[in-house]
Amino acid sequence: MFSSKVFGPLAACALLAAAALPACQNRPIEGEKAATEAAAVTPAVVDTIKIKRLAMQRDSVKADSIARKMGQLPGAILPGHRIVAFYGNIRSKGMGILGREPKAQMMRKFDKVLAEWQAADPSLPVMPALHSVTITAQGAAGSDGKYRLMNSKSTIEETRAWAKEKNALLFMDVQVGLSDLPHELPKLEEYLKDPTIHLGIDPEFAMQTKGVRPGKKIGTYDAKDVNYAINFLARIVSENHLPPKILMVHRFTQGMLTNYKNIKLDPRVQVVMDMDGWGNPTLKKDSFKAYVEKQPVQYAGFKLFYEYDIKPKGSHLMTPKEVLTELNPVPLYIQYQ
């Protein structure tokens, strides 16, 4: 299985310790009182990191309690919808359908695909999404040697406008190159405060443990990396009183995700493992079985490639009916590249 990506583009309560004045043995004379009191009072040191950690733990316990009673948190998109997304970058023809065709033509195709999925399974509402590669692995090192580049603010805002125009979700996808999630995800925090914006992370281009530039080898994430992303999103949800976020993780090989059993789910974040590889239907279904069905995390996703799924001899782009009837579990996230 190969990937065809092309390089391019509730809140925390303040816990303040009260400073105690020492017992006075001798009453100071009036003129010295102010100076003596100022010297006696030592400002308490506020451990903001500890405060945030305690708030996260409290919010997580509350979320767990609500989820146990209701099955999920209010506003959760999954499993009550099926997300159908167009993937790519609006500035790149080579990264996927999102930027390959003129906007109007692409949107007409998107409408047709959405209608096909709704007709294939009328029981589940289809929710459109644009999945935009926002931080993109690069073939060139860049000034800091990290082999990745973030979209300009204008590109991000234009993509965001397209999604709002379509009443669609927006996924911001991250390819870290030789950087890592703790350095890259904070760049997106202001955008992720929008309840309609969600996150995707791509192990294929996470090269830190490989020590080579993107494209030379297939990269990898460990459960600890996924957990970092989950905790990052959960904090944003709690601090901004948002409905649950979705975290989509690409995968099409065994090595792209290690120690999946150690992934710690949080009701504030819904995790989708997306089988992201191209080939003929048999190969795609086998990969889905190996890396999604047999190594489940939470929700299932499946990717379809307009250009590359049809390349193998005798191959074809799988139809909604085929995906719905031939994959188990049935994917709730569908992505077209």
Side-chain angles (χ1 to χ4, degrees):
M1 184 64 60
F2 302 97
S3 171
S4 66
K5 298 184 184 70
V6 180
F7 297 127
L10 80 164
C13 297
L15 307 177
L16 301 176
L21 293 174
C24 296
Q25 300 300 321
N26 297 297
R27 182 180 179 85
I29 61 175
E30 193 66 25
E32 297 174 346
K33 183 176 181 181
T36 303
E37 289 183 349
V41 177
T42 302
V45 176
V46 179
D47 188 341
T48 57
I49 295 177
K50 182 178 180 181
I51 289 171
K52 287 185 176 182
R53 184 173 65 248
L54 292 173
M56 278 280 288
Q57 291 171 349
R58 184 192 64 242
D59 288 352
S60 183
V61 169
K62 181 182 178 184
D64 283 331
S65 176
I66 294 171
R68 281 196 298 271
K69 292 177 182 177
M70 301 176 60
Q72 60 187 23
L73 292 179
I77 294 171
L78 302 174
H81 300 80
R82 174 168 288 109
I83 299 168
V84 177
F86 267 21
Y87 171 100
N89 185 295
I90 66 170
R91 302 287 189 239
S92 171
K93 293 182 180 296
M95 294 189 70
I97 185 61
L98 187 55
R100 184 176 300 128
E101 301 175 0
K103 178 187 174 185
Q105 180 177 322
M106 182 272 293
M107 288 297 189
R108 286 194 297 270
K109 179 178 286 189
F110 195 22
D111 284 337
K112 183 174 182 293
V113 169
L114 294 170
E116 288 172 353
W117 277 96
Q118 193 62 81
D121 182 6
S123 69
L124 205 58
V126 168
M127 182 168 286
L130 302 184
H131 196 113
S132 175
V133 186
T134 306
I135 298 177
T136 310
Q138 302 289 301
S143 60
D144 61 0
K146 296 299 184 182
Y147 290 90
R148 53 83 183 92
L149 181 68
M150 182 168 169
N151 286 351
S152 68
K153 182 177 178 61
S154 62
T155 296
I156 292 173
E157 291 299 342
E158 185 173 350
T159 308
R160 192 177 186 178
W162 285 22
K164 289 188 179 300
E165 188 181 314
K166 194 70 178 171
N167 198 24
L169 303 176
L170 174 61
F171 282 79
M172 304 184 89
D173 205 81
V174 177
Q175 303 172 354
V176 298
L178 281 171
S179 184
D180 55 28
L181 294 175
H183 284 92
E184 301 304 316
L185 294 192
K187 299 174 183 178
L188 306 181
E189 180 163 351
E190 286 304 310
Y191 299 106
L192 288 164
K193 291 178 182 179
D194 183 328
T196 68
I197 297 181
H198 302 270
L199 180 65
I201 58 174
D202 197 342
E204 181 182 357
F205 300 107
M207 310 309 298
Q208 199 172 67
T209 61
K210 303 295 183 177
V212 297
R213 70 170 176 80
K216 291 291 187 181
K217 294 182 179 180
I218 295 174
T220 185
Y221 276 141
D222 186 72
K224 62 181 174 58
D225 300 299
V226 179
N227 288 339
Y228 173 84
I230 290 172
N231 292 333
F232 177 82
L233 290 173
R235 176 180 60 78
I236 293 174
V237 168
S238 288
E239 290 179 354
N240 297 279
H241 310 288
L242 301 175
K245 290 289 183 184
I246 297 172
L247 173 65
M248 197 222 71
V249 185
H250 299 267
R251 188 179 189 188
F252 61 89
T253 70
Q254 179 68 27
M256 283 176 70
L257 179 64
T258 56
N259 300 307
Y260 79 96
K261 290 182 179 180
N262 294 335
I263 293 173
K264 297 178 181 178
L265 297 178
D266 186 304
R268 292 167 290 180
V269 181
Q270 303 192 292
V271 180
V272 174
M273 298 304 300
D274 182 49
M275 204 300 288
D276 172 21
W278 62 268
N280 65 56
T282 298
L283 182 57
K284 290 174 73 76
K285 287 185 287 185
D286 287 347
S287 294
F288 182 90
K289 187 177 185 68
Y291 310 127
V292 177
E293 180 181 345
K294 290 187 176 181
Q295 298 186 19
V297 175
Q298 191 172 22
Y299 298 106
F302 195 69
K303 191 166 186 175
L304 297 160
F305 292 79
Y306 278 117
E307 292 188 312
Y308 296 96
D309 280 356
I310 62 174
K311 280 195 169 184
K313 186 177 181 180
S315 187
H316 68 276
L317 187 72
M318 291 179 69
T319 66
K321 183 178 179 181
E322 287 177 300
V323 173
L324 291 172
T325 59
E326 298 177 18
L327 296 177
N328 180 42
V330 177
L332 291 179
Y333 178 93
I334 305 295
Q335 186 179 94
Y336 285 84
Q337 181 171 330

